[in-house]
């Protein structure tokens, strides 16, 4: 009886601690740490080089933790720093439970983790789950013979006569099937041939990959960014994808990836991964290329039991400043039922300063974009260098291109080198990133666009990021308030309220190159005030403004508190 009772107590205690981990709220609204955190993506090759071999490393990141803390960053997502032949610059992993010597050692990682923790900064790792490197021990075994222990860990199939099993095309160019002469079969790879797809239908693969996440949780990581989740499963019948007219940038037929992306089985894996994440108070961020809100909803899960933070890339697809377009996209994400995630650019996408800059007002536009995604309801994921207004530095000649897709697709597709250049720390040679030769060149603009200079300049882009991040950490309406669009028919000025109980913050963004005049009647939203108290603005002016006539300079920002 006693035994039974003790067993029950243990069971309940175990259950409670698991439940606790799931619901460790940081405020009375029940929000979790990742809902109040600001995330920052670090491309480790390019952040800071501590040993002057031209490639950034973990000790380099550690040396910049104080900078990140002062900026207002709460969590860093480090793109893959595992052992890798670097065909896809780390997204071809040859050992999931180690650090590539070029980036340091596991001891360096542990030190980085501890130093980050001291400063209240969490570490998110990149989980490359769809594929490994062809140099991973699993694949080396898999390709050694048809009867090898790990043969079925990857996607091996017979061809159709002398042709591949079907018409699937690799998103990085050429067929998605590569012939292996030794064993007389094809293996499948959604990306480069050096990135064979793992067979997620094999329970042994499932278990091994889940153990990888547990291994890193034990080392103290606070979650994962899940790489390429859309591509985990393929149609077992290997049906041909429908082909659309024309060719893509790499010269391949354009296909609708109906049989090799976004299969329903993906969601089963995500639900299971979420359970393990919850046991560790961790967050899962998804590289989810959703085409609309209904797809985004699926990634949150029917019961909110899949990804806490599926990245919605809609902002990265808006290619010009347009109040109407941003308003539409924000409303869509806000209505998806989960916690929104906002991204302006990353290591695969041209920097936002290039997408929105007009060449004349780039600094003002960068401040405008910062003010947009740092004041919305949801979690922003910054990309290193965005906070200083770094621009792309695309290769000028094919022979300079490092990213393989840029060599295949030149000149139409120049690859992703341009958005991956070294962080610009100061105006010394190579922007203070390295005293060696940087793996990618630093653009001449580093002389003025750099951290040290911008820290000294009160009007810099960096100061705007610092002030906005400080504001969003302390302002309840910005942290927890709902999102209410106002003046919705204005095609030039994007305005919204963030309302929290008796407080509200009004955000006004002039997305046009012309001065604008706006007025607000916030009575219907429950805020009768006729004026706002300035919290942040890129214009001059007093500490109060009238809501019946607010004058805005081109591309300017106004953020103010309004009361009932
Ligand atoms: C993701 C990564 C990208 C990589 C690809 C293959 O899209 O963001 O950089 O090339 O996955 O792993
Ligand atoms: Ca280095």
């Amino acid at each position: 009886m006693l035994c039974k009772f003790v067993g029950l107590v243990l069971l309940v205690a175990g259950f409670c601690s698991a439940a606790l981990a799931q619901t460790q709220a940081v405020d009375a609204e029940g929000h979790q740490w990742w809902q109040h955190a600001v995330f920052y993506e670090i491309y480790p090759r390019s952040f800071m080089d501590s040993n002057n071999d031209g490639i950034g490393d973990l000790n380099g990141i550690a040396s910049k933790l104080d900078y990140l803390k002062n900026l207002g960053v709460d969590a860093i997502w480090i793109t893959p720093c595992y052992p890798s032949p670097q065909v896809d610059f780390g997204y071809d992993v040859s050992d999931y439970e180690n650090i590539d010597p070029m980036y340091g050692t596991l001891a360096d990682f542990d030190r980085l983790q501890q130093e980050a923790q001291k400063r209240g900064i969490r570490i998110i790792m990149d989980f490359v789950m769809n594929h490994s490197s062809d140099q991973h021990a699993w694949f080396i075994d898999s390709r050694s013979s048809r009867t090898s222990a790990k043969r079925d860990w990857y996607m091996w199939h017979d061809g159709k006569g002398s042709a591949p099993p079907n018409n699937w095309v690799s998103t990085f160019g050429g067929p998605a099937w590569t012939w292996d002469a030794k064993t007389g079969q094809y293996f499948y790879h959604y990306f480069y041939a050096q990135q064979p797809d793992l067979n997620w239908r094999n329970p042994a693969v499932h278990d091994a990959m889940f153990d990888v996440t547990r291994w890193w949780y034990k080392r103290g990581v606070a979650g994962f960014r899940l790489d390429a989740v859309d591509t985990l499963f393929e149609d077992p019948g290997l049906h041909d994808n429908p082909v659309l007219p024309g060719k893509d940038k790499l010269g391949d037929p354009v296909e609708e990836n109906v049989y090799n992306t976004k299969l329903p089985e993906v969601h089963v894996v995500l639900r299971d991964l979420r359970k393990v994440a919850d046991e560790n108070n961790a967050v899962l961020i998804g590289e989810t290329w959703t085409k609309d809100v209904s797809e985004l909803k699926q990634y949150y899960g029917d019961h909110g039991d899949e990804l806490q933070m599926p990245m919605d890339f809609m902002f990265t697809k808006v290619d010009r400043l347009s109040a109407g377009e941003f308003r539409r996209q924000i409303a869509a994400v806000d209505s998806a039922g989960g916690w929104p995630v906002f991204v302006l650019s990353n290591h695969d996408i041209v920097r936002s300063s290039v997408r929105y800059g007009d060449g004349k007002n780039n600094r003002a536009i960068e401040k405008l974009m910062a003010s947009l995604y740092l004041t919305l309801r949801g979690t922003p994921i910054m990309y290193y260098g965005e906070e200083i207004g770094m621009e792309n530095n695309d290769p000028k000649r094919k022979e300079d291109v490092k990213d393989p897709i840029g060599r295949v697709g030149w000149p139409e597709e120049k690859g992703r080198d341009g958005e991956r250049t070294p962080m610009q720390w100061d105006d010394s040679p190579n922007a203070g990133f390295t005293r060696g030769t940087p793996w990618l060149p630093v653009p001449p603009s580093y002389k003025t666009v750099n951290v040290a200079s911008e820290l000294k300049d009160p009007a810099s882009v960096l100061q705007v990021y610092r002030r906005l991040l400080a504001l969003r950490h302390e302002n309840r309406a910005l942290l927890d308030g709902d999102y209410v669009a106002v003046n919705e028919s204005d095609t030039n000025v994007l305005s919204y309220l963030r309302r929290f109980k008796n407080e509200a913050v009004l955000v006004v963004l002039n997305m046009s190159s012309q001065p604008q005049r706006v007025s607000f009647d916030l009575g219907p939203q429950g805020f009768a005030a006729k004026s706002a108290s300035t919290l942040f603005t890129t214009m001059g002016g007093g500490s109060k403004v009238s809501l019946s006539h607010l004058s805005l300079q081109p591309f300017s920002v106004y953020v103010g508190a309004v009361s009932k």
Side-chain angles (χ1 to χ4, degrees):
M1 175 65 198
L2 183 68
C3 237
K4 262 194 187 160
F5 179 70
V6 170
L8 186 70
V9 169
L10 286 179
L11 193 77
V12 171
F15 179 78
C16 288
S17 68
L20 236 180
Q22 284 172 39
T23 56
Q24 275 175 22
V26 292
D27 65 15
E29 316 315 304
H31 284 150
Q32 313 277 304
W33 67 265
W34 45 268
Q35 292 177 290
H36 280 191
V38 171
F39 288 67
Y40 184 99
E41 176 189 352
I42 291 180
Y43 198 69
R45 289 183 80 85
S46 299
F47 196 60
M48 183 64 201
D49 180 14
S50 72
N51 64 351
N52 297 309
D53 64 356
I55 294 170
D57 42 58
L58 296 185
N59 288 339
I61 298 174
S63 72
K64 296 297 182 184
L65 286 170
D66 285 332
Y67 164 74
L68 295 168
K69 182 71 195 164
N70 290 334
L71 176 60
V73 167
D74 306 294
I76 52 177
W77 149 33
I78 307 175
T79 65
C81 50
Y82 315 106
S84 162
Q86 302 287 321
V87 172
D88 193 19
F89 298 108
Y91 281 96
D92 45 326
V93 179
S94 53
D95 179 357
Y96 288 99
E97 296 178 355
N98 213 333
I99 297 292
D100 195 292
M102 103 180 30
Y103 296 124
T105 61
L106 273 175
D108 294 332
F109 177 86
D110 291 341
R111 195 173 66 87
L112 172 65
Q113 154 70 32
Q114 283 150 17
E115 289 299 318
Q117 197 173 15
K118 274 189 210 157
R119 292 164 178 81
I121 296 176
R122 289 173 156 96
I123 295 185
I124 305 296
M125 295 299 266
D126 209 309
F127 189 36
V128 189
M129 39 187 316
N130 172 68
H131 49 269
S132 72
S133 160
D134 64 348
Q135 298 306 309
H136 195 295
W138 298 342
F139 190 72
I140 292 174
D141 177 84
S142 187
R143 80 183 320 173
S144 66
S145 90
R146 285 207 189 193
T147 54
S148 74
K150 297 208 163 46
R151 182 65 170 182
D152 194 36
W153 282 44
Y154 294 84
M155 311 282 298
W156 292 98
H157 285 279
D158 293 331
K160 274 194 203 153
S162 60
N166 65 19
N167 75 347
W168 298 350
V169 167
S170 158
T171 193
F172 283 167
W177 298 98
T178 289
W179 171 249
D180 179 60
K182 184 169 176 215
T183 58
Q185 281 190 310
Y186 287 87
F187 66 90
Y188 174 70
H189 49 90
Y190 187 84
F191 297 96
Y192 296 125
Q194 295 87 344
Q195 296 170 297
D197 273 49
L198 285 156
N199 176 14
W200 272 88
R201 294 185 194 277
N202 181 342
V205 168
H206 180 282
D207 292 352
M209 292 301 274
F210 271 61
D211 283 348
V212 169
T213 71
R214 293 191 185 94
W215 192 88
W216 284 103
Y217 287 137
K218 278 197 204 111
R219 280 205 121 79
V221 315
F224 291 93
R225 175 266 190 186
L226 307 180
D227 184 61
V229 282
D230 297 338
T231 61
L232 290 191
F233 287 89
E234 297 74 29
D235 166 35
L238 300 184
H239 289 92
D240 278 349
N241 277 328
V243 180
L244 302 172
K247 298 261 182 224
D248 68 14
K249 280 187 179 178
L250 301 177
D252 290 314
V254 181
E255 288 188 356
E256 278 182 286
N257 291 324
V258 283
Y259 291 112
N260 58 344
T261 64
K262 299 181 182 168
L263 266 64
E265 292 89 327
V266 170
H267 297 280
V268 180
V269 172
L270 294 182
R271 279 194 289 276
D272 289 348
L273 275 175
R274 174 64 179 277
K275 285 181 201 135
V276 184
D278 281 346
E279 286 160 16
N280 292 280
N281 195 26
V283 69
L284 298 178
I285 305 172
E287 190 204 11
T288 39
W289 291 96
T290 55
K291 69 172 191 300
D292 54 29
V293 173
S294 72
E295 279 193 1
L296 184 62
K297 273 189 176 157
Q298 290 174 27
Y299 280 113
Y300 287 113
D302 290 343
H303 306 284
D305 53 357
E306 296 188 25
L307 302 177
Q308 296 106 317
M309 291 175 50
M311 279 191 267
D312 171 69
F313 291 110
M314 48 142 212
F315 276 12
T316 71
K317 291 183 202 146
V318 181
D319 57 3
R320 68 195 167 87
L321 284 179
S322 158
E325 188 56 18
F326 280 115
R327 191 180 288 125
R328 204 175 64 75
Q329 300 283 8
I330 297 162
V333 179
D334 201 65
S335 70
W339 185 253
V341 179
F342 295 103
V343 176
L344 292 186
S345 62
N346 67 25
H347 64 283
D348 298 323
I349 300 170
V350 65
R351 285 188 177 271
S352 58
S353 52
V354 179
R355 286 205 314 277
Y356 305 115
D358 64 357
K360 283 190 285 203
N361 302 284
N362 285 21
R363 297 288 90 94
I365 293 169
E366 285 149 15
K367 295 172 189 174
L368 178 79
M369 291 310 293
S371 308
L372 170 62
Y373 86 128
L374 301 181
T375 61
L376 287 169
R377 173 184 164 268
T379 297
I381 304 181
M382 299 167 58
Y383 183 46
Y384 81 93
E386 209 159 68
E387 75 273 27
I388 52 173
M390 264 174 69
E391 298 190 352
N392 265 55
N393 187 30
D394 293 332
K396 311 282 176 301
R397 306 177 311 172
K398 185 176 174 183
E399 55 268 40
D400 296 334
V401 176
K402 298 274 195 308
D403 185 12
I405 54 171
R407 291 199 296 270
V408 177
W410 189 269
E412 216 192 322
E413 168 62 70
K414 293 193 170 67
R416 298 164 290 181
D417 296 353
E419 53 262 28
R420 298 174 172 180
T421 57
M423 178 68 176
Q424 294 163 200
W425 293 106
D426 58 37
D427 64 3
S428 69
N430 299 317
F433 163 73
T434 184
R435 275 181 272 124
T437 306
W439 79 285
L440 284 176
V442 174
S445 62
Y446 83 88
K447 282 281 176 195
T448 51
V449 179
N450 67 65
V451 170
S453 309
E454 295 192 33
L455 280 176
K456 284 185 226 132
D457 173 6
S460 66
V461 175
L462 181 57
Q463 298 294 3
V464 166
Y465 269 88
R466 291 184 60 177
R467 283 159 63 197
L468 283 170
L469 288 171
L471 183 63
R472 77 165 272 147
H473 279 104
E474 70 187 29
N475 186 290
R476 288 306 302 267
L478 289 181
L479 282 173
D480 295 332
D482 61 1
Y483 165 86
V484 189
V486 295
N487 291 12
E488 286 190 82
S489 53
D490 194 322
T491 53
N492 294 305
V493 182
L494 177 65
S495 306
Y496 46 90
L497 271 184
R498 298 289 314 283
R499 293 182 313 188
F500 182 77
K501 298 183 181 164
N502 288 329
E503 302 170 38
V505 167
L506 173 68
V507 179
V508 187
L509 306 160
N510 182 2
M511 297 212 152
S512 78
S513 58
Q514 301 302 314
Q516 302 288 339
R517 259 192 137 194
V518 284
S519 64
F520 298 95
D521 172 12
L522 305 175
Q525 281 81 32
F527 289 82
K530 296 278 174 273
S531 64
S533 309
T534 305
L535 295 169
F536 170 81
T537 176
T538 55
M539 307 178 290
S543 59
K544 264 199 178 316
V545 300
S546 161
L547 291 178
S548 56
H549 49 268
L550 178 58
S551 296
L552 299 165
Q553 293 157 9
F555 303 117
S556 64
V557 177
Y558 179 82
V559 181
V562 291
S563 49
K564 287 243 171 198

